[in-house]
Amino acid sequence: MARIRYQNYDQVSATSSYSDLKKWRKERSGKKKDLTVQIPHAERKDVEKLQTNRSDFSITWIGHSTFLIQMNGLNILTDPVWAKWMGVQKRLTKPGLSLEELPEIDMVFISHGHYDHLDFGTLKKLRGDITFYVPIGLKGAFHRRGYKKVVEANWWEQFQYEELQITFVPAQHWTRRTLIDTNTSHWGGWVFESNDTTIYFVGDTGYFRGFKEIGSKFSITYTLMPIGAYEPEWFMKAAHINPEDAITAFLETKGSIMIPMHYGAYRLADDTGPEALERLMKQWENLKLLPEQLCVLKHGETLWK
């Protein structure tokens, strides 16, 4: 029986051919990048408060696409990855908080199955009675590892967890964990709605028309937007958004505040974290956008509301 293969809007392919991969590897070998400058850690971390907090709203950037979100008295993790290695690439910076510094987790949200977003080695070290929310096609991988509280979602499906409204929304990407399972699970972002605050965790994506659609359906407060792993753009563009397009996408979501992510932890492409952030800041100034609408967190830094 043939396995379902999931697609992007307009059947856009985000996968690449072997010849393109070979071309990129050859091109990459000739580039020299300064990896001595990294995205910094917060000078002060609110570990004790985060561990006991069950009332105040907070967003803490752990690194890459991993956030600790506290809302509605819940401790939420997005794409938890504490891995020191990603393939042959060593993590460039330590996670903003250690696993031991985390509070007990109530909910985990996975954007897709790529290893830099779904790390089972990390998941088994988390503390708490956790419900996992995953894209359609991934539940079996969780069940085989003994996880029982798993909710599988297709695009636009909605769920209620106590007073938290949850929606799985589209992204433009792809996924694979083995040589034979390309796109047999889906990918996307997550929207969390509660009272007067809505968070849009974009996941991993290229620029696509879905941002306008998502912006029309939700009143978004915080957009957690990827900005890295875009170079070379001829190779990465369909799957990874560049900093300038990330701003365009943010404006299309009509969010109040953009928090950049997916940069500075792993070298998944040829750009560096500081380069991505520099391009983002330059374009923000060029467009004369309000400084208070951009919240650049350091690793381990917490935004309190």
Side-chain angles (χ1 to χ4, degrees):
M1 182 176 175
R3 302 174 72 178
I4 296 174
R5 304 278 173 172
Y6 295 93
Q7 295 183 329
N8 289 305
Y9 274 4
D10 307 316
Q11 288 74 54
V12 171
S13 174
T15 58
S16 302
S17 67
Y18 176 74
S19 61
D20 281 343
L21 180 62
K22 188 176 179 180
K23 177 183 175 183
W24 170 42
R25 293 300 185 190
K26 183 178 180 180
E27 182 180 308
R28 187 180 204 183
S29 66
K31 290 183 179 179
K32 301 297 181 184
K33 294 281 185 164
D34 182 6
L35 299 178
T36 61
V37 179
Q38 299 300 336
I39 303 302
H41 280 236
E43 293 82 7
R44 183 181 65 85
K45 300 180 183 181
D46 301 323
V47 175
E48 291 186 9
K49 185 175 180 180
L50 291 170
Q51 288 177 340
T52 59
N53 177 45
R54 287 287 183 175
S55 58
D56 296 334
F57 176 91
S58 75
I59 300 176
T60 303
W61 190 37
I62 308 300
H64 200 51
S65 297
T66 307
F67 288 88
L68 169 65
I69 299 170
Q70 297 181 313
M71 60 190 303
N72 279 47
L74 299 168
N75 291 323
I76 298 167
L77 281 179
T78 62
D79 288 356
V81 178
W82 266 255
K84 293 181 180 179
W85 292 86
M86 196 54 54
V88 297
Q89 298 286 338
K90 188 175 181 179
R91 190 173 186 132
L92 298 171
T93 60
K94 292 182 179 179
L97 297 178
S98 69
L99 286 164
E100 294 73 25
E101 290 174 322
L102 290 177
E104 290 195 355
I105 303 302
D106 302 295
M107 312 170 76
V108 164
F109 290 87
I110 303 297
S111 64
H112 66 295
H114 277 149
Y115 284 87
D116 60 314
H117 295 261
L118 172 55
D119 177 36
F120 284 108
T122 292
L123 298 187
K124 70 181 181 181
K125 297 175 183 177
L126 299 177
R127 296 178 296 112
D129 183 18
I130 303 172
T131 301
F132 296 89
Y133 287 79
V134 305
I136 190 168
L138 279 178
K139 182 186 283 188
F142 278 75
H143 282 180
R144 287 193 296 272
R145 290 167 173 84
Y147 297 101
K148 303 300 183 185
K149 299 177 68 173
V150 184
V151 179
E152 203 171 51
N154 213 334
W155 284 351
W156 300 115
E157 279 198 84
Q158 293 188 323
F159 309 89
Q160 192 77 28
Y161 190 101
E162 298 177 357
E163 296 181 3
L164 187 67
Q165 180 79 23
I166 303 157
T167 308
F168 187 53
V169 295
Q172 180 172 290
H173 204 59
W174 68 291
T175 193
R176 182 175 65 206
R177 291 185 70 85
T178 72
L179 292 175
I180 61 172
D181 69 349
T182 300
N183 294 349
T184 56
S185 61
H186 223 333
W187 48 87
W190 294 95
V191 176
F192 313 121
E193 298 176 273
S194 176
N195 300 323
D196 61 344
T197 302
T198 298
I199 298 176
Y200 171 26
F201 170 66
V202 176
D204 207 353
T205 187
Y207 175 78
F208 77 127
R209 64 178 173 86
F211 288 115
K212 291 181 180 178
E213 185 178 9
I214 293 164
S216 70
K217 292 180 182 292
F218 303 96
S219 179
I220 298 168
T221 314
Y222 301 99
T223 302
L224 313 185
M225 178 68 72
I227 66 167
Y230 55 81
E231 184 184 324
E233 295 193 41
W234 65 262
F235 184 77
M236 296 290 183
K237 188 172 184 178
H240 289 148
I241 195 166
N242 68 31
E244 294 81 8
D245 287 342
I247 294 175
T248 300
F250 164 69
L251 295 174
E252 291 176 349
T253 71
K254 303 176 184 177
S256 299
I257 296 173
M258 174 176 164
I259 300 177
M261 67 171 186
H262 201 271
Y263 71 104
Y266 299 104
R267 192 168 183 235
L268 304 173
D270 292 347
D271 52 288
T272 69
E275 285 176 340
L277 193 55
E278 182 180 355
R279 280 179 57 166
L280 180 80
M281 301 297 288
K282 182 178 180 180
Q283 181 69 352
W284 200 271
E285 292 175 2
N286 288 342
L287 295 176
K288 296 180 170 57
L289 298 177
L290 296 175
E292 57 265 30
Q293 282 193 278
L294 179 62
C295 179
V296 178
L297 295 176
K298 297 177 181 179
H299 288 133
E301 185 175 3
T302 300
L303 168 70
W304 296 94
K305 180 181 176 183

